[in-house]
Amino acid sequence: MPLWFPQGSPNLPPPKPPPYTPRMTTAVDQVAEVEREAREALEGAADEAALEAWRTRVLGRSGTLTGILRGLGGLPAEERREVGQAANLAKQALEAALEARQDALRAAAREAATRDAIDVTLPGRPVRRGRLHPVTRTLQEITRIFERMGFQAVEGPEVELDEYNFERLRIPEHHPARDMWDTFWVDEEVDGRQPLLLRTHTSPMQIRFMEQHEPPIRIVVPGRCYRYEATDATHEWMLQQVELLAVDEGLSMADLKGTLQEFARQMFGPQRRVMMRNSYFPFVEPGVELAVDCYACPGNDPTCSVCRGAGWVEIMGAGMVHPEILEAAGYDSDRYTGFAAGMGVERIAMPRYGVEDIRLFYQNDLRFLRQF
Ligand code: FA5
């Protein structure tokens, strides 16, 4: 069956092309062609180097347009004028186009440079200066005062053995003094030794240092301590202490008193009153504590959160090193005597900065901390 085609049979001959009329390419046409091509190439030139290459190729000594101008001499006189005119016009037009393209590229480059540039006249953003925490500053100041008196700073472990924190400080298990220092226990062994705890005071370093050194000893031991404590305005569960230990021939209570008085004078200034009274710590004999006059009330306000009307705030415990402790360290207690003290750094920072609640120090509220 013959196929049906809607537009007729595909076998029909194609329509005839229009009759061919040959056209002579003249030298003027050649100039026009060179100019057209040159303009097209100029549009594609995107930087100074491309523009220079373009200029050499078109307008340079061996450039396409220059070639035409050079060839004028070989043309018949009539044609020479016509082609010469066209070529010169093309040259002027291309030179102008080159200049315009150069201007446009430079303007675009300037615009991009100002858009991305740093404005060096703008005032800089101020860099926030960090500073040390008031408790750290107080700790450093305390340590420095004692270093100036000839004490050497040493540090000890925060996770301590029961043996050093209690036993060897004459606080055996079931001793009522342990009630003063309830703490956090660590359920692990280290080097086969336990039980471990977070140290409640820096006093264990007295023992650790004495078992490794011979007198004379003068050390100052800063460090963190931990207590299972109901917190209030003067008690935190983490506190920092600075321990003091001096062992030598002929040291007496007068040396302890003089050292602590001088410390208080340098730390608080001469206007702050300091009081020393009897106290009890199993590792000293006699034992004392040091207090400063209340800085939060006139000294007799029972509602005062700092002194509760007592007028005094305890800042440290101290005393003469117990002879049994000297003997346990291998020292002759007839020849050597010593004094020791353990002070609360936050309790010293509080009067120094007029802070009436110890808990403010560790709440990390920058509005509070930035004041110091
Ligand atoms: C002791 O820790 C003894 N090791 C001090 C000592 C050392 C006595 C050497 C004799 C010889 P006490 O528990 O009182 O003592 O603490 C000493 C100081 O630490 C206190 O005077 C107080 O300033 C500070 N302190 C104690 N408990 C806290 C707490 N919960 N929060 C803040 N500071 C505290």
Side-chain angles (χ1 to χ4, degrees), residues 181 200-201 203 206 227 229 234-236 239 241 243 281 283-284 314-319 340-344 346-347 358:
W181 293 297
T200 61
H201 50 178
S203 299
Q206 291 187 29
R227 295 185 185 189
E229 189 98 68
T234 54
H235 292 84
E236 258 293 3
L239 59 137
Q241 283 194 344
E243 189 83 8
F281 301 95
F283 36 94
V284 288
E314 182 201 323
I315 57 166
M316 71 175 85
M343 55 201 79
E346 295 82 0
R347 295 272 185 95
I358 195 171

mmCIF file of all heavy atoms in Angstrom, residues 181 200-201 203 206 227 229 234-236 239 241 243 281 283-284 314-319 340-344 346-347 358, ligand 1:
data_model
loop_
_atom_site.group_PDB
_atom_site.id
_atom_site.type_symbol
_atom_site.label_atom_id
_atom_site.label_comp_id
_atom_site.label_asym_id
_atom_site.label_seq_id
_atom_site.Cartn_x
_atom_site.Cartn_y
_atom_site.Cartn_z
ATOM 1 N N TRP A 181 35.806 18.049 108.485
ATOM 2 C CA TRP A 181 36.322 17.961 107.110
ATOM 3 C C TRP A 181 35.667 16.826 106.334
ATOM 4 O O TRP A 181 36.358 15.934 105.825
ATOM 5 C CB TRP A 181 37.843 17.766 107.127
ATOM 6 C CG TRP A 181 38.597 18.946 107.660
ATOM 7 C CD1 TRP A 181 38.623 20.184 107.123
ATOM 8 C CD2 TRP A 181 39.447 18.975 108.800
ATOM 9 N NE1 TRP A 181 39.422 21.005 107.870
ATOM 10 C CE2 TRP A 181 39.954 20.291 108.909
ATOM 11 C CE3 TRP A 181 39.833 18.030 109.758
ATOM 12 C CZ2 TRP A 181 40.819 20.691 109.917
ATOM 13 C CZ3 TRP A 181 40.697 18.420 110.769
ATOM 14 C CH2 TRP A 181 41.180 19.746 110.841
ATOM 15 N N THR A 200 40.768 18.006 101.704
ATOM 16 C CA THR A 200 39.923 18.986 102.396
ATOM 17 C C THR A 200 40.710 20.220 102.781
ATOM 18 O O THR A 200 40.134 21.229 103.154
ATOM 19 C CB THR A 200 39.330 18.364 103.672
ATOM 20 O OG1 THR A 200 40.416 18.000 104.535
ATOM 21 C CG2 THR A 200 38.511 17.127 103.354
ATOM 22 N N HIS A 201 42.026 20.109 102.760
ATOM 23 C CA HIS A 201 42.894 21.232 103.097
ATOM 24 C C HIS A 201 44.263 21.017 102.456
ATOM 25 O O HIS A 201 44.524 19.945 101.887
ATOM 26 C CB HIS A 201 43.015 21.433 104.627
ATOM 27 C CG HIS A 201 43.345 20.187 105.404
ATOM 28 N ND1 HIS A 201 43.533 20.175 106.760
ATOM 29 C CD2 HIS A 201 43.522 18.885 105.017
ATOM 30 C CE1 HIS A 201 43.815 18.956 107.159
ATOM 31 N NE2 HIS A 201 43.813 18.164 106.120
ATOM 32 N N SER A 203 47.021 21.039 104.150
ATOM 33 C CA SER A 203 47.938 20.539 105.178
ATOM 34 C C SER A 203 48.643 19.227 104.825
ATOM 35 O O SER A 203 49.776 18.994 105.291
ATOM 36 C CB SER A 203 47.208 20.400 106.523
ATOM 37 O OG SER A 203 46.739 21.667 106.929
ATOM 38 N N GLN A 206 52.237 19.417 104.149
ATOM 39 C CA GLN A 206 53.226 19.502 105.253
ATOM 40 C C GLN A 206 53.956 18.166 105.334
ATOM 41 O O GLN A 206 55.184 18.101 105.357
ATOM 42 C CB GLN A 206 52.523 19.748 106.590
ATOM 43 C CG GLN A 206 51.884 21.107 106.748
ATOM 44 C CD GLN A 206 51.365 21.275 108.177
ATOM 45 O OE1 GLN A 206 51.888 20.701 109.130
ATOM 46 N NE2 GLN A 206 50.313 22.080 108.337
ATOM 47 N N ARG A 227 35.109 20.352 100.123
ATOM 48 C CA ARG A 227 34.443 19.888 101.344
ATOM 49 C C ARG A 227 32.974 19.636 101.065
ATOM 50 O O ARG A 227 32.362 20.379 100.287
ATOM 51 C CB ARG A 227 34.564 20.944 102.449
ATOM 52 C CG ARG A 227 36.014 21.123 102.868
ATOM 53 C CD ARG A 227 36.158 22.068 104.022
ATOM 54 N NE ARG A 227 37.592 22.268 104.257
ATOM 55 C CZ ARG A 227 38.094 22.895 105.301
ATOM 56 N NH1 ARG A 227 37.281 23.404 106.218
ATOM 57 N NH2 ARG A 227 39.391 23.022 105.433
ATOM 58 N N GLU A 229 29.901 20.399 102.043
ATOM 59 C CA GLU A 229 29.568 21.541 102.901
ATOM 60 C C GLU A 229 28.203 22.108 102.519
ATOM 61 O O GLU A 229 27.878 22.173 101.329
ATOM 62 C CB GLU A 229 30.637 22.619 102.660
ATOM 63 C CG GLU A 229 30.598 23.788 103.587
ATOM 64 C CD GLU A 229 31.600 23.646 104.729
ATOM 65 O OE1 GLU A 229 32.817 23.704 104.459
ATOM 66 O OE2 GLU A 229 31.155 23.501 105.863
ATOM 67 N N THR A 234 29.651 32.466 103.691
ATOM 68 C CA THR A 234 31.090 32.351 103.949
ATOM 69 C C THR A 234 31.627 30.928 103.724
ATOM 70 O O THR A 234 32.788 30.652 104.020
ATOM 71 C CB THR A 234 31.435 32.787 105.393
ATOM 72 O OG1 THR A 234 30.612 32.038 106.292
ATOM 73 C CG2 THR A 234 31.227 34.273 105.602
ATOM 74 N N HIS A 235 30.790 30.026 103.207
ATOM 75 C CA HIS A 235 31.231 28.642 102.975
ATOM 76 C C HIS A 235 30.903 28.195 101.556
ATOM 77 O O HIS A 235 29.770 28.320 101.110
ATOM 78 C CB HIS A 235 30.554 27.676 103.951
ATOM 79 C CG HIS A 235 30.998 27.863 105.366
ATOM 80 N ND1 HIS A 235 30.449 28.809 106.196
ATOM 81 C CD2 HIS A 235 31.956 27.226 106.082
ATOM 82 C CE1 HIS A 235 31.056 28.754 107.382
ATOM 83 N NE2 HIS A 235 31.977 27.806 107.335
ATOM 84 N N GLU A 236 31.919 27.644 100.878
ATOM 85 C CA GLU A 236 31.727 27.042 99.555
ATOM 86 C C GLU A 236 32.151 25.581 99.652
ATOM 87 O O GLU A 236 32.891 25.206 100.560
ATOM 88 C CB GLU A 236 32.617 27.751 98.512
ATOM 89 C CG GLU A 236 31.884 28.743 97.622
ATOM 90 C CD GLU A 236 30.880 28.097 96.673
ATOM 91 O OE1 GLU A 236 30.686 26.874 96.714
ATOM 92 O OE2 GLU A 236 30.263 28.852 95.900
ATOM 93 N N LEU A 239 37.063 25.401 97.777
ATOM 94 C CA LEU A 239 37.720 26.600 98.278
ATOM 95 C C LEU A 239 39.204 26.528 97.952
ATOM 96 O O LEU A 239 39.729 25.462 97.656
ATOM 97 C CB LEU A 239 37.526 26.730 99.797
ATOM 98 C CG LEU A 239 38.066 25.568 100.634
ATOM 99 C CD1 LEU A 239 38.786 26.080 101.865
ATOM 100 C CD2 LEU A 239 36.920 24.663 101.042
ATOM 101 N N GLN A 241 43.067 27.287 99.299
ATOM 102 C CA GLN A 241 43.833 27.552 100.526
ATOM 103 C C GLN A 241 45.282 27.838 100.174
ATOM 104 O O GLN A 241 45.770 27.460 99.099
ATOM 105 C CB GLN A 241 43.796 26.343 101.469
ATOM 106 C CG GLN A 241 42.495 26.204 102.227
ATOM 107 C CD GLN A 241 42.595 25.219 103.394
ATOM 108 O OE1 GLN A 241 43.531 24.415 103.481
ATOM 109 N NE2 GLN A 241 41.627 25.283 104.286
ATOM 110 N N GLU A 243 48.794 27.120 102.278
ATOM 111 C CA GLU A 243 49.390 26.527 103.475
ATOM 112 C C GLU A 243 50.764 27.136 103.695
ATOM 113 O O GLU A 243 51.473 27.479 102.731
ATOM 114 C CB GLU A 243 49.548 25.009 103.261
ATOM 115 C CG GLU A 243 49.943 24.227 104.479
ATOM 116 C CD GLU A 243 48.716 23.893 105.332
ATOM 117 O OE1 GLU A 243 47.584 24.140 104.887
ATOM 118 O OE2 GLU A 243 48.920 23.390 106.455
ATOM 119 N N PHE A 281 43.467 22.159 116.315
ATOM 120 C CA PHE A 281 43.721 21.319 115.134
ATOM 121 C C PHE A 281 44.656 20.218 115.615
ATOM 122 O O PHE A 281 45.673 20.516 116.255
ATOM 123 C CB PHE A 281 44.406 22.115 114.013
ATOM 124 C CG PHE A 281 43.610 23.310 113.545
ATOM 125 C CD1 PHE A 281 43.858 24.572 114.083
ATOM 126 C CD2 PHE A 281 42.617 23.177 112.584
ATOM 127 C CE1 PHE A 281 43.125 25.669 113.670
ATOM 128 C CE2 PHE A 281 41.877 24.278 112.161
ATOM 129 C CZ PHE A 281 42.127 25.537 112.710
ATOM 130 N N PHE A 283 46.967 18.587 114.442
ATOM 131 C CA PHE A 283 48.368 18.543 113.979
ATOM 132 C C PHE A 283 49.211 19.713 114.470
ATOM 133 O O PHE A 283 50.368 19.861 114.077
ATOM 134 C CB PHE A 283 48.425 18.442 112.444
ATOM 135 C CG PHE A 283 47.338 19.229 111.733
ATOM 136 C CD1 PHE A 283 47.576 20.509 111.294
ATOM 137 C CD2 PHE A 283 46.081 18.675 111.534
ATOM 138 C CE1 PHE A 283 46.578 21.222 110.654
ATOM 139 C CE2 PHE A 283 45.078 19.391 110.892
ATOM 140 C CZ PHE A 283 45.312 20.667 110.452
ATOM 141 N N VAL A 284 48.627 20.589 115.326
ATOM 142 C CA VAL A 284 49.427 21.673 115.914
ATOM 143 C C VAL A 284 49.216 21.725 117.421
ATOM 144 O O VAL A 284 48.186 21.297 117.930
ATOM 145 C CB VAL A 284 49.076 23.058 115.293
ATOM 146 C CG1 VAL A 284 49.594 23.179 113.875
ATOM 147 C CG2 VAL A 284 47.594 23.346 115.369
ATOM 148 N N GLU A 314 36.723 34.636 110.455
ATOM 149 C CA GLU A 314 37.905 33.775 110.487
ATOM 150 C C GLU A 314 38.517 33.661 109.087
ATOM 151 O O GLU A 314 37.806 33.437 108.113
ATOM 152 C CB GLU A 314 37.468 32.392 110.988
ATOM 153 C CG GLU A 314 38.594 31.416 111.112
ATOM 154 C CD GLU A 314 38.098 29.964 111.100
ATOM 155 O OE1 GLU A 314 37.030 29.693 111.666
ATOM 156 O OE2 GLU A 314 38.796 29.128 110.493
ATOM 157 N N ILE A 315 39.824 33.846 109.007
ATOM 158 C CA ILE A 315 40.474 33.711 107.694
ATOM 159 C C ILE A 315 41.491 32.557 107.651
ATOM 160 O O ILE A 315 41.849 32.089 106.583
ATOM 161 C CB ILE A 315 41.163 35.024 107.228
ATOM 162 C CG1 ILE A 315 42.200 35.510 108.240
ATOM 163 C CG2 ILE A 315 40.130 36.095 106.911
ATOM 164 C CD1 ILE A 315 43.135 36.584 107.663
ATOM 165 N N MET A 316 41.978 32.120 108.822
ATOM 166 C CA MET A 316 42.933 30.991 108.774
ATOM 167 C C MET A 316 43.075 30.279 110.118
ATOM 168 O O MET A 316 42.764 30.842 111.171
ATOM 169 C CB MET A 316 44.319 31.472 108.317
ATOM 170 C CG MET A 316 45.068 32.318 109.325
ATOM 171 S SD MET A 316 46.741 32.723 108.750
ATOM 172 C CE MET A 316 46.449 34.170 107.751
ATOM 173 N N GLY A 317 43.527 29.012 110.024
ATOM 174 C CA GLY A 317 43.930 28.285 111.216
ATOM 175 C C GLY A 317 45.448 28.206 111.210
ATOM 176 O O GLY A 317 46.072 28.261 110.155
ATOM 177 N N ALA A 318 46.054 28.090 112.411
ATOM 178 C CA ALA A 318 47.526 28.067 112.476
ATOM 179 C C ALA A 318 47.971 27.449 113.791
ATOM 180 O O ALA A 318 47.144 27.074 114.632
ATOM 181 C CB ALA A 318 48.071 29.493 112.350
ATOM 182 N N GLY A 319 49.265 27.314 113.972
ATOM 183 C CA GLY A 319 49.778 26.792 115.236
ATOM 184 C C GLY A 319 51.207 26.301 115.093
ATOM 185 O O GLY A 319 51.799 26.381 114.019
ATOM 186 N N ALA A 340 52.896 26.379 111.387
ATOM 187 C CA ALA A 340 52.144 26.151 110.143
ATOM 188 C C ALA A 340 50.867 26.976 110.183
ATOM 189 O O ALA A 340 50.385 27.352 111.261
ATOM 190 C CB ALA A 340 51.806 24.672 109.991
ATOM 191 N N ALA A 341 50.336 27.264 109.020
ATOM 192 C CA ALA A 341 49.063 27.970 108.919
ATOM 193 C C ALA A 341 48.372 27.524 107.650
ATOM 194 O O ALA A 341 49.018 27.084 106.699
ATOM 195 C CB ALA A 341 49.284 29.489 108.881
ATOM 196 N N GLY A 342 47.037 27.606 107.643
ATOM 197 C CA GLY A 342 46.270 27.294 106.430
ATOM 198 C C GLY A 342 45.179 28.349 106.290
ATOM 199 O O GLY A 342 44.332 28.483 107.169
ATOM 200 N N MET A 343 45.266 29.149 105.203
ATOM 201 C CA MET A 343 44.310 30.258 105.090
ATOM 202 C C MET A 343 43.364 30.075 103.918
ATOM 203 O O MET A 343 43.725 29.481 102.901
ATOM 204 C CB MET A 343 45.050 31.588 104.976
ATOM 205 C CG MET A 343 46.048 31.673 103.856
ATOM 206 S SD MET A 343 47.257 32.970 104.163
ATOM 207 C CE MET A 343 48.368 32.170 105.315
ATOM 208 N N GLY A 344 42.146 30.587 104.072
ATOM 209 C CA GLY A 344 41.143 30.513 102.994
ATOM 210 C C GLY A 344 41.307 31.726 102.080
ATOM 211 O O GLY A 344 41.178 32.861 102.523
ATOM 212 N N GLU A 346 39.453 32.734 99.470
ATOM 213 C CA GLU A 346 38.223 33.498 99.236
ATOM 214 C C GLU A 346 37.911 34.386 100.444
ATOM 215 O O GLU A 346 37.492 35.534 100.294
ATOM 216 C CB GLU A 346 37.028 32.562 98.995
ATOM 217 C CG GLU A 346 37.126 31.736 97.726
ATOM 218 C CD GLU A 346 37.968 30.485 97.886
ATOM 219 O OE1 GLU A 346 38.494 30.250 99.000
ATOM 220 O OE2 GLU A 346 38.120 29.740 96.897
ATOM 221 N N ARG A 347 38.169 33.845 101.650
ATOM 222 C CA ARG A 347 37.886 34.623 102.865
ATOM 223 C C ARG A 347 38.793 35.851 102.954
ATOM 224 O O ARG A 347 38.473 36.803 103.638
ATOM 225 C CB ARG A 347 38.108 33.753 104.108
ATOM 226 C CG ARG A 347 37.158 32.598 104.238
ATOM 227 C CD ARG A 347 35.885 32.994 104.976
ATOM 228 N NE ARG A 347 35.077 31.802 105.166
ATOM 229 C CZ ARG A 347 35.116 31.070 106.276
ATOM 230 N NH1 ARG A 347 35.882 31.429 107.281
ATOM 231 N NH2 ARG A 347 34.369 29.995 106.377
ATOM 232 N N ILE A 358 30.460 34.720 99.518
ATOM 233 C CA ILE A 358 31.528 33.943 98.864
ATOM 234 C C ILE A 358 31.037 33.270 97.581
ATOM 235 O O ILE A 358 31.797 33.061 96.634
ATOM 236 C CB ILE A 358 32.070 32.883 99.856
ATOM 237 C CG1 ILE A 358 33.414 32.310 99.372
ATOM 238 C CG2 ILE A 358 31.080 31.772 100.083
ATOM 239 C CD1 ILE A 358 34.099 31.433 100.417
HETATM 240 C C1 FA5 B 1 42.210 23.886 108.052
HETATM 241 O O1 FA5 B 1 41.846 23.604 106.898
HETATM 242 C C2 FA5 B 1 43.549 23.611 108.535
HETATM 243 N N1 FA5 B 1 44.234 22.768 107.616
HETATM 244 C C3 FA5 B 1 44.315 24.916 108.741
HETATM 245 C C4 FA5 B 1 45.590 24.787 109.503
HETATM 246 C C5 FA5 B 1 46.773 24.649 108.794
HETATM 247 C C6 FA5 B 1 45.613 24.808 110.878
HETATM 248 C C7 FA5 B 1 47.975 24.541 109.471
HETATM 249 C C8 FA5 B 1 46.809 24.709 111.546
HETATM 250 C C9 FA5 B 1 47.995 24.578 110.844
HETATM 251 P P1 FA5 B 1 39.997 25.126 108.617
HETATM 252 O O2 FA5 B 1 39.052 24.041 108.305
HETATM 253 O O3 FA5 B 1 39.596 26.054 109.713
HETATM 254 O O4 FA5 B 1 41.455 24.617 108.791
HETATM 255 O O5 FA5 B 1 40.144 25.984 107.283
HETATM 256 C C10 FA5 B 1 41.123 26.994 107.175
HETATM 257 C C11 FA5 B 1 40.548 28.208 106.497
HETATM 258 O O6 FA5 B 1 39.977 27.832 105.260
HETATM 259 C C12 FA5 B 1 39.411 28.856 107.238
HETATM 260 O O7 FA5 B 1 39.918 29.749 108.213
HETATM 261 C C13 FA5 B 1 38.685 29.572 106.174
HETATM 262 O O8 FA5 B 1 39.343 30.775 105.864
HETATM 263 C C14 FA5 B 1 38.838 28.650 105.005
HETATM 264 N N2 FA5 B 1 37.673 27.780 104.863
HETATM 265 C C15 FA5 B 1 37.388 26.659 105.521
HETATM 266 N N3 FA5 B 1 36.234 26.111 105.083
HETATM 267 C C16 FA5 B 1 35.791 26.896 104.103
HETATM 268 C C17 FA5 B 1 34.660 26.869 103.225
HETATM 269 N N4 FA5 B 1 33.761 25.900 103.272
HETATM 270 N N5 FA5 B 1 34.496 27.866 102.333
HETATM 271 C C18 FA5 B 1 35.420 28.845 102.276
HETATM 272 N N6 FA5 B 1 36.505 28.924 103.050
HETATM 273 C C19 FA5 B 1 36.697 27.972 103.955
#
